[in-house]
Amino acid sequence: MSSQEIAQEIRSIFPDTEGPIVQYLSGYLVDDAGEEEDVLQVANDILSSLGMDRPDDVKRLMARLSDLLSEQLAARAKNSGRPKLMKLDRVVDLSKAGAMSNTIALGEGVDLESINKAKASRVDVKKLEKQEAKLRAKIEKRARRDLYEGSKLLDQHRKQASRSQSYEEMFMKINPLDASASSKNKSKDIHLINIDVNFGSNRILSGATLTLAYGRRYGLIGRNGVGKSTLLRHIAMREVPIPPHITILFVEQEIVGDDTLALDSVLKADVWRDHLLKEEAALNARLAELDKEGDDKRAEEEREEASSRLVEVHARLSDMDAESGPSRAAALLAVKKISRNRRNHLVEVGGMWKASVISQVVKEFFQHASRTRSCAVCQALLLLDEPSNHIDLNALAWLEDYLQTWPGTLLVVSASFSRAFDRPESAATGRMIVLSCGDSVATDIVHQHSGRLDYYKGNFTQFYSTKSERDRNLRKEYEAQMEYRKNLQAFVDRWRYNANRAAQAQMRLKILEKLPDLQPPEEEETEKFRFPEAEKISPPLLQLSEATFGYTSDKLILKNVNFDVGLDSRIAIVGANGSGKSTLIKLLTSELKPFSGECNRNGRLRIGYFSQHHVDTLNPNMSPVQFLASKFPGKTEQEYRGHLGNFQISGMTGLQLIGTLSGGQKSRVAFAVLSLQNPHVLLLDEPTNHLDIEGLDALMTALNIWNGGVIVISHDERFITTVAKELWVCADGTVSKFKGDVQSYKVTLFAVSTL
């Protein structure tokens, strides 16, 4: 059957069909169709498109074509059952294989014997399997590791959280009673070389040198998350080899409040005194029991032993002037202006005083416990972690004055040493001196960074000046060295193949090869925080009108308060601890309801509240990503991590347990939670606590460019000056606008305190 005959049949039914179509279809049916194609179906589709309104003619033509092509279609069907040409998966070398083996008919035409011979001659199968097994194990391990890189970090955190050991037990284990006696005529300096400090698999220090001279006061600084608190904890727990005769007192960032009375909390700060008093009571009780047992030999020996020990206990209590402990503790409470009612009935007082007393009295007395005992039992090494958090200006002044008289070694951590306050030294001279838990206290600075400790003489101001000068010199030296190397290399490149100067070029090339590897100076890292733009809403936003509140009706904290907040508000609230600042914030958030007066709030208003105890609002057993997902579901993990990155929680830090993060990193997580609320107004209660200086700068910049309202409670002068436009003072049961700046307020405050 020829293509011309097929064409004639098509034209007989569809005479008006264009020539190219008829020519294509006839050629396809006879010669061009593939072996696996259904030629009749293809032809039917084409003809149906030509005769859409003539289906009967299409059927008649297809029947005729089927008869004409019957022999050709039968031959195609027969050929389709034969072996087909295929592309081999592997190269077959016919010159080496000789004749094709019998396996060519198997496995769809692939010569298996030739392939196996090639494999055996080229690859070590055992080594290949071993490497593939290693690769699979590595991939599986990486897939399972959805938390922080070192699982030991999380295990260690869980062990610490599950410890049932009390503070008193830990203190007595670290500082046994005979430690002070064994320290006579021994050096109390600490010099440890080549120490390593790890937190799980996270390396904090590597080959560092720890040097603390007795009587010196060291300030430990570094970025949030660098491991300052971890280092202090290792020193306190003697996980680095501190000499056993050196006694240690350690105060952590957060001290958990309980139902203990304020006076008892202060007395329990002197653990040795408390331990000896308990032992004295136990010995007296045992002696009373022995007196009832009679005069047998065993009882007499035990009575004699108990009496001898009781004499030793009395001697130790006498040395530390234990009897005057309650009166001196009560005097301390009086100095801190805590009334007898608050001192003796802490549990019955409202939450504000409980937080104030616990954070202010207990923490300070832990820090300065030598006030309640003689120098004979004074701790040789005092470790303070963020001691200035949560305390007001007066408490900070008292803390600074006392630390300057500490007779032993002091190591204090503060994330931001920019929190400096000025006060007049005397009303007569009006001369100003710096007040911070840092500049007037520190005699030396320890800079923790890059897994090492660098030491500087002087206070923080001198440190920053010295470090800046050192960084400039290092940068100049690095640039000069790079220019020198560049000139050497340029000479070598130019004259290396010149016969007259090849020797000189070779000499310079040897100089280049002998030069040590040059590391560029560390660049100062900058941080950026970013809050989402607040949408516009019509005023009034938030108002207190003649609001009065107290935790009990007979003891009012705030009376007749008038306070107005708008999108353009930039207000700082200052005042002594316990004056009602946090209570005012809780009234604004509607957490508390006023006894009288009104709190008017726009129905569309969204408020972001940053509590000074924001750590308690975070779940320590979740990662930051998981915590955000629990509070604001519906986003992908990448979106949560990107949002945390707006507050410098990046990389694997977003997958760590929150309980393993530093205080500054927890603050950043809290800010990330705030920003996801898309607030119109931010109420920030002590937001600078725990933040390092870079984080503080980033927060101030973000707040200044944000278009929402900001109300802050802070004792940080630089923060208030940078962020706030108005200053309100909380005192004497009310809140009023102060006509002046922070400096004027402090002059007034310190003038009153000296009266």
Side-chain angles (χ1 to χ4, degrees), residues 542-547 561-565 571-573 584-585 588 600 683 711 726 728 735-736:
L542 186 61
Q543 290 179 332
L544 288 177
S545 301
E546 297 296 324
V561 174
N562 294 290
F563 201 76
D564 188 10
V565 181
I571 300 173
I573 304 173
L584 174 64
I585 294 293
L588 293 173
N600 300 315
L683 305 181
I711 312 297
E726 299 179 25
W728 288 62
V735 182
S736 58

mmCIF file with all atom_site columns, all heavy atoms in Angstrom, residues 542-547 561-565 571-573 584-585 588 600 683 711 726 728 735-736:
data_model
loop_
_atom_site.group_PDB
_atom_site.id
_atom_site.type_symbol
_atom_site.label_atom_id
_atom_site.label_alt_id
_atom_site.label_comp_id
_atom_site.label_asym_id
_atom_site.label_entity_id
_atom_site.label_seq_id
_atom_site.pdbx_PDB_ins_code
_atom_site.Cartn_x
_atom_site.Cartn_y
_atom_site.Cartn_z
_atom_site.occupancy
_atom_site.B_iso_or_equiv
_atom_site.pdbx_formal_charge
_atom_site.auth_seq_id
_atom_site.auth_comp_id
_atom_site.auth_asym_id
_atom_site.auth_atom_id
_atom_site.pdbx_PDB_model_num
ATOM 1   N N   . LEU A 1 542 ? -5.046  55.531 75.850 1.00 0.00 ? 542 LEU A N   1
ATOM 2   C CA  . LEU A 1 542 ? -4.994  54.951 77.194 1.00 0.00 ? 542 LEU A CA  1
ATOM 3   C C   . LEU A 1 542 ? -4.936  56.085 78.206 1.00 0.00 ? 542 LEU A C   1
ATOM 4   O O   . LEU A 1 542 ? -4.033  56.931 78.142 1.00 0.00 ? 542 LEU A O   1
ATOM 5   C CB  . LEU A 1 542 ? -3.774  54.038 77.317 1.00 0.00 ? 542 LEU A CB  1
ATOM 6   C CG  . LEU A 1 542 ? -3.601  53.227 78.590 1.00 0.00 ? 542 LEU A CG  1
ATOM 7   C CD1 . LEU A 1 542 ? -4.777  52.270 78.784 1.00 0.00 ? 542 LEU A CD1 1
ATOM 8   C CD2 . LEU A 1 542 ? -2.302  52.409 78.532 1.00 0.00 ? 542 LEU A CD2 1
ATOM 9   N N   . GLN A 1 543 ? -5.876  56.089 79.152 1.00 0.00 ? 543 GLN A N   1
ATOM 10  C CA  . GLN A 1 543 ? -5.943  57.166 80.134 1.00 0.00 ? 543 GLN A CA  1
ATOM 11  C C   . GLN A 1 543 ? -6.292  56.626 81.513 1.00 0.00 ? 543 GLN A C   1
ATOM 12  O O   . GLN A 1 543 ? -7.093  55.694 81.646 1.00 0.00 ? 543 GLN A O   1
ATOM 13  C CB  . GLN A 1 543 ? -7.009  58.199 79.733 1.00 0.00 ? 543 GLN A CB  1
ATOM 14  C CG  . GLN A 1 543 ? -6.680  59.037 78.524 1.00 0.00 ? 543 GLN A CG  1
ATOM 15  C CD  . GLN A 1 543 ? -7.786  60.011 78.197 1.00 0.00 ? 543 GLN A CD  1
ATOM 16  O OE1 . GLN A 1 543 ? -8.959  59.760 78.488 1.00 0.00 ? 543 GLN A OE1 1
ATOM 17  N NE2 . GLN A 1 543 ? -7.434  61.140 77.598 1.00 0.00 ? 543 GLN A NE2 1
ATOM 18  N N   . LEU A 1 544 ? -5.658  57.196 82.524 1.00 0.00 ? 544 LEU A N   1
ATOM 19  C CA  . LEU A 1 544 ? -6.063  57.015 83.920 1.00 0.00 ? 544 LEU A CA  1
ATOM 20  C C   . LEU A 1 544 ? -6.599  58.355 84.414 1.00 0.00 ? 544 LEU A C   1
ATOM 21  O O   . LEU A 1 544 ? -5.921  59.382 84.292 1.00 0.00 ? 544 LEU A O   1
ATOM 22  C CB  . LEU A 1 544 ? -4.890  56.570 84.790 1.00 0.00 ? 544 LEU A CB  1
ATOM 23  C CG  . LEU A 1 544 ? -4.374  55.139 84.619 1.00 0.00 ? 544 LEU A CG  1
ATOM 24  C CD1 . LEU A 1 544 ? -3.161  54.899 85.521 1.00 0.00 ? 544 LEU A CD1 1
ATOM 25  C CD2 . LEU A 1 544 ? -5.453  54.116 84.927 1.00 0.00 ? 544 LEU A CD2 1
ATOM 26  N N   . SER A 1 545 ? -7.799  58.329 84.971 1.00 0.00 ? 545 SER A N   1
ATOM 27  C CA  . SER A 1 545 ? -8.416  59.562 85.454 1.00 0.00 ? 545 SER A CA  1
ATOM 28  C C   . SER A 1 545 ? -8.760  59.408 86.925 1.00 0.00 ? 545 SER A C   1
ATOM 29  O O   . SER A 1 545 ? -9.621  58.581 87.293 1.00 0.00 ? 545 SER A O   1
ATOM 30  C CB  . SER A 1 545 ? -9.689  59.876 84.653 1.00 0.00 ? 545 SER A CB  1
ATOM 31  O OG  . SER A 1 545 ? -9.391  60.012 83.276 1.00 0.00 ? 545 SER A OG  1
ATOM 32  N N   . GLU A 1 546 ? -8.038  60.172 87.761 1.00 0.00 ? 546 GLU A N   1
ATOM 33  C CA  . GLU A 1 546 ? -8.273  60.158 89.215 1.00 0.00 ? 546 GLU A CA  1
ATOM 34  C C   . GLU A 1 546 ? -8.266  58.730 89.762 1.00 0.00 ? 546 GLU A C   1
ATOM 35  O O   . GLU A 1 546 ? -9.074  58.362 90.621 1.00 0.00 ? 546 GLU A O   1
ATOM 36  C CB  . GLU A 1 546 ? -9.605  60.843 89.546 1.00 0.00 ? 546 GLU A CB  1
ATOM 37  C CG  . GLU A 1 546 ? -9.660  62.318 89.181 1.00 0.00 ? 546 GLU A CG  1
ATOM 38  C CD  . GLU A 1 546 ? -8.650  63.152 89.984 1.00 0.00 ? 546 GLU A CD  1
ATOM 39  O OE1 . GLU A 1 546 ? -8.431  62.832 91.158 1.00 0.00 ? 546 GLU A OE1 1
ATOM 40  O OE2 . GLU A 1 546 ? -8.097  64.111 89.420 1.00 0.00 ? 546 GLU A OE2 1
ATOM 41  N N   . ALA A 1 547 ? -7.330  57.925 89.289 1.00 0.00 ? 547 ALA A N   1
ATOM 42  C CA  . ALA A 1 547 ? -7.271  56.511 89.691 1.00 0.00 ? 547 ALA A CA  1
ATOM 43  C C   . ALA A 1 547 ? -6.604  56.368 91.052 1.00 0.00 ? 547 ALA A C   1
ATOM 44  O O   . ALA A 1 547 ? -5.570  56.986 91.331 1.00 0.00 ? 547 ALA A O   1
ATOM 45  C CB  . ALA A 1 547 ? -6.507  55.700 88.653 1.00 0.00 ? 547 ALA A CB  1
ATOM 46  N N   . VAL A 1 561 ? -4.416  59.482 90.483 1.00 0.00 ? 561 VAL A N   1
ATOM 47  C CA  . VAL A 1 561 ? -3.433  59.516 89.402 1.00 0.00 ? 561 VAL A CA  1
ATOM 48  C C   . VAL A 1 561 ? -4.121  59.881 88.086 1.00 0.00 ? 561 VAL A C   1
ATOM 49  O O   . VAL A 1 561 ? -5.151  59.293 87.723 1.00 0.00 ? 561 VAL A O   1
ATOM 50  C CB  . VAL A 1 561 ? -2.722  58.152 89.265 1.00 0.00 ? 561 VAL A CB  1
ATOM 51  C CG1 . VAL A 1 561 ? -1.800  58.146 88.053 1.00 0.00 ? 561 VAL A CG1 1
ATOM 52  C CG2 . VAL A 1 561 ? -1.951  57.838 90.534 1.00 0.00 ? 561 VAL A CG2 1
ATOM 53  N N   . ASN A 1 562 ? -3.555  60.851 87.378 1.00 0.00 ? 562 ASN A N   1
ATOM 54  C CA  . ASN A 1 562 ? -4.005  61.222 86.034 1.00 0.00 ? 562 ASN A CA  1
ATOM 55  C C   . ASN A 1 562 ? -2.845  60.990 85.070 1.00 0.00 ? 562 ASN A C   1
ATOM 56  O O   . ASN A 1 562 ? -1.774  61.577 85.226 1.00 0.00 ? 562 ASN A O   1
ATOM 57  C CB  . ASN A 1 562 ? -4.448  62.680 85.994 1.00 0.00 ? 562 ASN A CB  1
ATOM 58  C CG  . ASN A 1 562 ? -5.686  62.929 86.841 1.00 0.00 ? 562 ASN A CG  1
ATOM 59  O OD1 . ASN A 1 562 ? -6.778  62.486 86.509 1.00 0.00 ? 562 ASN A OD1 1
ATOM 60  N ND2 . ASN A 1 562 ? -5.514  63.630 87.959 1.00 0.00 ? 562 ASN A ND2 1
ATOM 61  N N   . PHE A 1 563 ? -3.085  60.143 84.078 1.00 0.00 ? 563 PHE A N   1
ATOM 62  C CA  . PHE A 1 563 ? -1.994  59.721 83.195 1.00 0.00 ? 563 PHE A CA  1
ATOM 63  C C   . PHE A 1 563 ? -2.567  59.473 81.812 1.00 0.00 ? 563 PHE A C   1
ATOM 64  O O   . PHE A 1 563 ? -3.587  58.789 81.662 1.00 0.00 ? 563 PHE A O   1
ATOM 65  C CB  . PHE A 1 563 ? -1.348  58.443 83.751 1.00 0.00 ? 563 PHE A CB  1
ATOM 66  C CG  . PHE A 1 563 ? 0.035   58.174 83.258 1.00 0.00 ? 563 PHE A CG  1
ATOM 67  C CD1 . PHE A 1 563 ? 1.119   58.873 83.744 1.00 0.00 ? 563 PHE A CD1 1
ATOM 68  C CD2 . PHE A 1 563 ? 0.266   57.201 82.293 1.00 0.00 ? 563 PHE A CD2 1
ATOM 69  C CE1 . PHE A 1 563 ? 2.402   58.615 83.301 1.00 0.00 ? 563 PHE A CE1 1
ATOM 70  C CE2 . PHE A 1 563 ? 1.539   56.932 81.837 1.00 0.00 ? 563 PHE A CE2 1
ATOM 71  C CZ  . PHE A 1 563 ? 2.614   57.653 82.347 1.00 0.00 ? 563 PHE A CZ  1
ATOM 72  N N   . ASP A 1 564 ? -1.935  60.030 80.773 1.00 0.00 ? 564 ASP A N   1
ATOM 73  C CA  . ASP A 1 564 ? -2.441  59.921 79.404 1.00 0.00 ? 564 ASP A CA  1
ATOM 74  C C   . ASP A 1 564 ? -1.324  59.408 78.500 1.00 0.00 ? 564 ASP A C   1
ATOM 75  O O   . ASP A 1 564 ? -0.210  59.929 78.524 1.00 0.00 ? 564 ASP A O   1
ATOM 76  C CB  . ASP A 1 564 ? -2.927  61.287 78.920 1.00 0.00 ? 564 ASP A CB  1
ATOM 77  C CG  . ASP A 1 564 ? -3.637  61.190 77.576 1.00 0.00 ? 564 ASP A CG  1
ATOM 78  O OD1 . ASP A 1 564 ? -3.913  60.054 77.130 1.00 0.00 ? 564 ASP A OD1 1
ATOM 79  O OD2 . ASP A 1 564 ? -3.914  62.241 76.967 1.00 0.00 ? 564 ASP A OD2 1
ATOM 80  N N   . VAL A 1 565 ? -1.639  58.377 77.699 1.00 0.00 ? 565 VAL A N   1
ATOM 81  C CA  . VAL A 1 565 ? -0.658  57.756 76.808 1.00 0.00 ? 565 VAL A CA  1
ATOM 82  C C   . VAL A 1 565 ? -1.169  57.845 75.374 1.00 0.00 ? 565 VAL A C   1
ATOM 83  O O   . VAL A 1 565 ? -2.326  57.501 75.095 1.00 0.00 ? 565 VAL A O   1
ATOM 84  C CB  . VAL A 1 565 ? -0.408  56.277 77.177 1.00 0.00 ? 565 VAL A CB  1
ATOM 85  C CG1 . VAL A 1 565 ? 0.623   55.655 76.250 1.00 0.00 ? 565 VAL A CG1 1
ATOM 86  C CG2 . VAL A 1 565 ? 0.024   56.154 78.625 1.00 0.00 ? 565 VAL A CG2 1
ATOM 87  N N   . ILE A 1 571 ? 7.684   58.362 77.634 1.00 0.00 ? 571 ILE A N   1
ATOM 88  C CA  . ILE A 1 571 ? 7.635   58.706 79.051 1.00 0.00 ? 571 ILE A CA  1
ATOM 89  C C   . ILE A 1 571 ? 8.503   57.745 79.845 1.00 0.00 ? 571 ILE A C   1
ATOM 90  O O   . ILE A 1 571 ? 8.430   56.524 79.662 1.00 0.00 ? 571 ILE A O   1
ATOM 91  C CB  . ILE A 1 571 ? 6.186   58.662 79.578 1.00 0.00 ? 571 ILE A CB  1
ATOM 92  C CG1 . ILE A 1 571 ? 5.318   59.662 78.812 1.00 0.00 ? 571 ILE A CG1 1
ATOM 93  C CG2 . ILE A 1 571 ? 6.142   58.948 81.066 1.00 0.00 ? 571 ILE A CG2 1
ATOM 94  C CD1 . ILE A 1 571 ? 3.839   59.573 79.148 1.00 0.00 ? 571 ILE A CD1 1
ATOM 95  N N   . ALA A 1 572 ? 9.336   58.279 80.741 1.00 0.00 ? 572 ALA A N   1
ATOM 96  C CA  . ALA A 1 572 ? 10.116  57.480 81.689 1.00 0.00 ? 572 ALA A CA  1
ATOM 97  C C   . ALA A 1 572 ? 9.558   57.711 83.086 1.00 0.00 ? 572 ALA A C   1
ATOM 98  O O   . ALA A 1 572 ? 9.310   58.854 83.481 1.00 0.00 ? 572 ALA A O   1
ATOM 99  C CB  . ALA A 1 572 ? 11.583  57.871 81.634 1.00 0.00 ? 572 ALA A CB  1
ATOM 100 N N   . ILE A 1 573 ? 9.358   56.611 83.818 1.00 0.00 ? 573 ILE A N   1
ATOM 101 C CA  . ILE A 1 573 ? 8.842   56.680 85.185 1.00 0.00 ? 573 ILE A CA  1
ATOM 102 C C   . ILE A 1 573 ? 9.965   56.257 86.129 1.00 0.00 ? 573 ILE A C   1
ATOM 103 O O   . ILE A 1 573 ? 10.540  55.174 85.982 1.00 0.00 ? 573 ILE A O   1
ATOM 104 C CB  . ILE A 1 573 ? 7.621   55.763 85.366 1.00 0.00 ? 573 ILE A CB  1
ATOM 105 C CG1 . ILE A 1 573 ? 6.535   56.121 84.351 1.00 0.00 ? 573 ILE A CG1 1
ATOM 106 C CG2 . ILE A 1 573 ? 7.084   55.859 86.779 1.00 0.00 ? 573 ILE A CG2 1
ATOM 107 C CD1 . ILE A 1 573 ? 5.364   55.170 84.347 1.00 0.00 ? 573 ILE A CD1 1
ATOM 108 N N   . LEU A 1 584 ? 1.560   50.983 88.738 1.00 0.00 ? 584 LEU A N   1
ATOM 109 C CA  . LEU A 1 584 ? 1.016   51.872 87.709 1.00 0.00 ? 584 LEU A CA  1
ATOM 110 C C   . LEU A 1 584 ? 0.958   51.164 86.359 1.00 0.00 ? 584 LEU A C   1
ATOM 111 O O   . LEU A 1 584 ? -0.039  51.267 85.625 1.00 0.00 ? 584 LEU A O   1
ATOM 112 C CB  . LEU A 1 584 ? 1.876   53.136 87.625 1.00 0.00 ? 584 LEU A CB  1
ATOM 113 C CG  . LEU A 1 584 ? 1.524   54.116 86.498 1.00 0.00 ? 584 LEU A CG  1
ATOM 114 C CD1 . LEU A 1 584 ? 0.122   54.680 86.709 1.00 0.00 ? 584 LEU A CD1 1
ATOM 115 C CD2 . LEU A 1 584 ? 2.558   55.232 86.420 1.00 0.00 ? 584 LEU A CD2 1
ATOM 116 N N   . ILE A 1 585 ? 2.020   50.439 86.010 1.00 0.00 ? 585 ILE A N   1
ATOM 117 C CA  . ILE A 1 585 ? 2.037   49.707 84.738 1.00 0.00 ? 585 ILE A CA  1
ATOM 118 C C   . ILE A 1 585 ? 0.915   48.674 84.704 1.00 0.00 ? 585 ILE A C   1
ATOM 119 O O   . ILE A 1 585 ? 0.229   48.501 83.682 1.00 0.00 ? 585 ILE A O   1
ATOM 120 C CB  . ILE A 1 585 ? 3.406   49.037 84.534 1.00 0.00 ? 585 ILE A CB  1
ATOM 121 C CG1 . ILE A 1 585 ? 4.501   50.086 84.351 1.00 0.00 ? 585 ILE A CG1 1
ATOM 122 C CG2 . ILE A 1 585 ? 3.380   48.095 83.346 1.00 0.00 ? 585 ILE A CG2 1
ATOM 123 C CD1 . ILE A 1 585 ? 4.398   50.884 83.086 1.00 0.00 ? 585 ILE A CD1 1
ATOM 124 N N   . LEU A 1 588 ? -2.315  50.236 83.918 1.00 0.00 ? 588 LEU A N   1
ATOM 125 C CA  . LEU A 1 588 ? -2.429  50.574 82.501 1.00 0.00 ? 588 LEU A CA  1
ATOM 126 C C   . LEU A 1 588 ? -2.743  49.349 81.650 1.00 0.00 ? 588 LEU A C   1
ATOM 127 O O   . LEU A 1 588 ? -3.415  49.444 80.622 1.00 0.00 ? 588 LEU A O   1
ATOM 128 C CB  . LEU A 1 588 ? -1.136  51.234 82.017 1.00 0.00 ? 588 LEU A CB  1
ATOM 129 C CG  . LEU A 1 588 ? -0.821  52.619 82.606 1.00 0.00 ? 588 LEU A CG  1
ATOM 130 C CD1 . LEU A 1 588 ? 0.559   53.079 82.169 1.00 0.00 ? 588 LEU A CD1 1
ATOM 131 C CD2 . LEU A 1 588 ? -1.878  53.635 82.187 1.00 0.00 ? 588 LEU A CD2 1
ATOM 132 N N   . ASN A 1 600 ? -9.543  54.417 80.958 1.00 0.00 ? 600 ASN A N   1
ATOM 133 C CA  . ASN A 1 600 ? -10.161 54.414 79.631 1.00 0.00 ? 600 ASN A CA  1
ATOM 134 C C   . ASN A 1 600 ? -9.165  53.895 78.605 1.00 0.00 ? 600 ASN A C   1
ATOM 135 O O   . ASN A 1 600 ? -8.021  54.346 78.558 1.00 0.00 ? 600 ASN A O   1
ATOM 136 C CB  . ASN A 1 600 ? -10.606 55.827 79.260 1.00 0.00 ? 600 ASN A CB  1
ATOM 137 C CG  . ASN A 1 600 ? -11.627 56.378 80.244 1.00 0.00 ? 600 ASN A CG  1
ATOM 138 O OD1 . ASN A 1 600 ? -12.560 55.683 80.621 1.00 0.00 ? 600 ASN A OD1 1
ATOM 139 N ND2 . ASN A 1 600 ? -11.438 57.621 80.669 1.00 0.00 ? 600 ASN A ND2 1
ATOM 140 N N   . LEU A 1 683 ? 4.943   48.969 77.138 1.00 0.00 ? 683 LEU A N   1
ATOM 141 C CA  . LEU A 1 683 ? 5.161   49.252 78.553 1.00 0.00 ? 683 LEU A CA  1
ATOM 142 C C   . LEU A 1 683 ? 6.340   48.401 79.008 1.00 0.00 ? 683 LEU A C   1
ATOM 143 O O   . LEU A 1 683 ? 6.225   47.174 79.100 1.00 0.00 ? 683 LEU A O   1
ATOM 144 C CB  . LEU A 1 683 ? 3.906   48.927 79.370 1.00 0.00 ? 683 LEU A CB  1
ATOM 145 C CG  . LEU A 1 683 ? 2.604   49.615 78.928 1.00 0.00 ? 683 LEU A CG  1
ATOM 146 C CD1 . LEU A 1 683 ? 1.456   49.215 79.841 1.00 0.00 ? 683 LEU A CD1 1
ATOM 147 C CD2 . LEU A 1 683 ? 2.769   51.116 78.914 1.00 0.00 ? 683 LEU A CD2 1
ATOM 148 N N   . ILE A 1 711 ? 6.395   53.632 77.224 1.00 0.00 ? 711 ILE A N   1
ATOM 149 C CA  . ILE A 1 711 ? 6.440   53.965 78.646 1.00 0.00 ? 711 ILE A CA  1
ATOM 150 C C   . ILE A 1 711 ? 7.474   53.052 79.280 1.00 0.00 ? 711 ILE A C   1
ATOM 151 O O   . ILE A 1 711 ? 7.373   51.823 79.178 1.00 0.00 ? 711 ILE A O   1
ATOM 152 C CB  . ILE A 1 711 ? 5.073   53.751 79.335 1.00 0.00 ? 711 ILE A CB  1
ATOM 153 C CG1 . ILE A 1 711 ? 3.952   54.392 78.516 1.00 0.00 ? 711 ILE A CG1 1
ATOM 154 C CG2 . ILE A 1 711 ? 5.107   54.287 80.754 1.00 0.00 ? 711 ILE A CG2 1
ATOM 155 C CD1 . ILE A 1 711 ? 4.059   55.879 78.373 1.00 0.00 ? 711 ILE A CD1 1
ATOM 156 N N   . GLU A 1 726 ? 9.679   62.797 78.373 1.00 0.00 ? 726 GLU A N   1
ATOM 157 C CA  . GLU A 1 726 ? 9.072   63.271 79.615 1.00 0.00 ? 726 GLU A CA  1
ATOM 158 C C   . GLU A 1 726 ? 9.547   62.398 80.769 1.00 0.00 ? 726 GLU A C   1
ATOM 159 O O   . GLU A 1 726 ? 9.780   61.195 80.601 1.00 0.00 ? 726 GLU A O   1
ATOM 160 C CB  . GLU A 1 726 ? 7.540   63.221 79.544 1.00 0.00 ? 726 GLU A CB  1
ATOM 161 C CG  . GLU A 1 726 ? 6.928   64.073 78.456 1.00 0.00 ? 726 GLU A CG  1
ATOM 162 C CD  . GLU A 1 726 ? 5.414   63.943 78.437 1.00 0.00 ? 726 GLU A CD  1
ATOM 163 O OE1 . GLU A 1 726 ? 4.833   63.604 79.488 1.00 0.00 ? 726 GLU A OE1 1
ATOM 164 O OE2 . GLU A 1 726 ? 4.813   64.155 77.377 1.00 0.00 ? 726 GLU A OE2 1
ATOM 165 N N   . TRP A 1 728 ? 8.450   61.288 84.656 1.00 0.00 ? 728 TRP A N   1
ATOM 166 C CA  . TRP A 1 728 ? 7.426   61.274 85.697 1.00 0.00 ? 728 TRP A CA  1
ATOM 167 C C   . TRP A 1 728 ? 8.003   60.584 86.923 1.00 0.00 ? 728 TRP A C   1
ATOM 168 O O   . TRP A 1 728 ? 8.700   59.575 86.807 1.00 0.00 ? 728 TRP A O   1
ATOM 169 C CB  . TRP A 1 728 ? 6.171   60.542 85.216 1.00 0.00 ? 728 TRP A CB  1
ATOM 170 C CG  . TRP A 1 728 ? 5.380   61.326 84.198 1.00 0.00 ? 728 TRP A CG  1
ATOM 171 C CD1 . TRP A 1 728 ? 5.794   61.719 82.968 1.00 0.00 ? 728 TRP A CD1 1
ATOM 172 C CD2 . TRP A 1 728 ? 4.049   61.812 84.353 1.00 0.00 ? 728 TRP A CD2 1
ATOM 173 N NE1 . TRP A 1 728 ? 4.817   62.417 82.318 1.00 0.00 ? 728 TRP A NE1 1
ATOM 174 C CE2 . TRP A 1 728 ? 3.713   62.492 83.145 1.00 0.00 ? 728 TRP A CE2 1
ATOM 175 C CE3 . TRP A 1 728 ? 3.098   61.749 85.364 1.00 0.00 ? 728 TRP A CE3 1
ATOM 176 C CZ2 . TRP A 1 728 ? 2.477   63.095 82.950 1.00 0.00 ? 728 TRP A CZ2 1
ATOM 177 C CZ3 . TRP A 1 728 ? 1.850   62.342 85.160 1.00 0.00 ? 728 TRP A CZ3 1
ATOM 178 C CH2 . TRP A 1 728 ? 1.555   63.011 83.970 1.00 0.00 ? 728 TRP A CH2 1
ATOM 179 N N   . VAL A 1 735 ? 1.784   59.937 91.150 1.00 0.00 ? 735 VAL A N   1
ATOM 180 C CA  . VAL A 1 735 ? 2.690   60.024 90.010 1.00 0.00 ? 735 VAL A CA  1
ATOM 181 C C   . VAL A 1 735 ? 2.526   61.413 89.402 1.00 0.00 ? 735 VAL A C   1
ATOM 182 O O   . VAL A 1 735 ? 1.413   61.821 89.053 1.00 0.00 ? 735 VAL A O   1
ATOM 183 C CB  . VAL A 1 735 ? 2.378   58.952 88.946 1.00 0.00 ? 735 VAL A CB  1
ATOM 184 C CG1 . VAL A 1 735 ? 3.369   59.037 87.794 1.00 0.00 ? 735 VAL A CG1 1
ATOM 185 C CG2 . VAL A 1 735 ? 2.408   57.565 89.560 1.00 0.00 ? 735 VAL A CG2 1
ATOM 186 N N   . SER A 1 736 ? 3.628   62.127 89.292 1.00 0.00 ? 736 SER A N   1
ATOM 187 C CA  . SER A 1 736 ? 3.561   63.498 88.787 1.00 0.00 ? 736 SER A CA  1
ATOM 188 C C   . SER A 1 736 ? 4.686   63.749 87.800 1.00 0.00 ? 736 SER A C   1
ATOM 189 O O   . SER A 1 736 ? 5.758   63.145 87.886 1.00 0.00 ? 736 SER A O   1
ATOM 190 C CB  . SER A 1 736 ? 3.644   64.496 89.941 1.00 0.00 ? 736 SER A CB  1
ATOM 191 O OG  . SER A 1 736 ? 4.840   64.309 90.678 1.00 0.00 ? 736 SER A OG  1
#
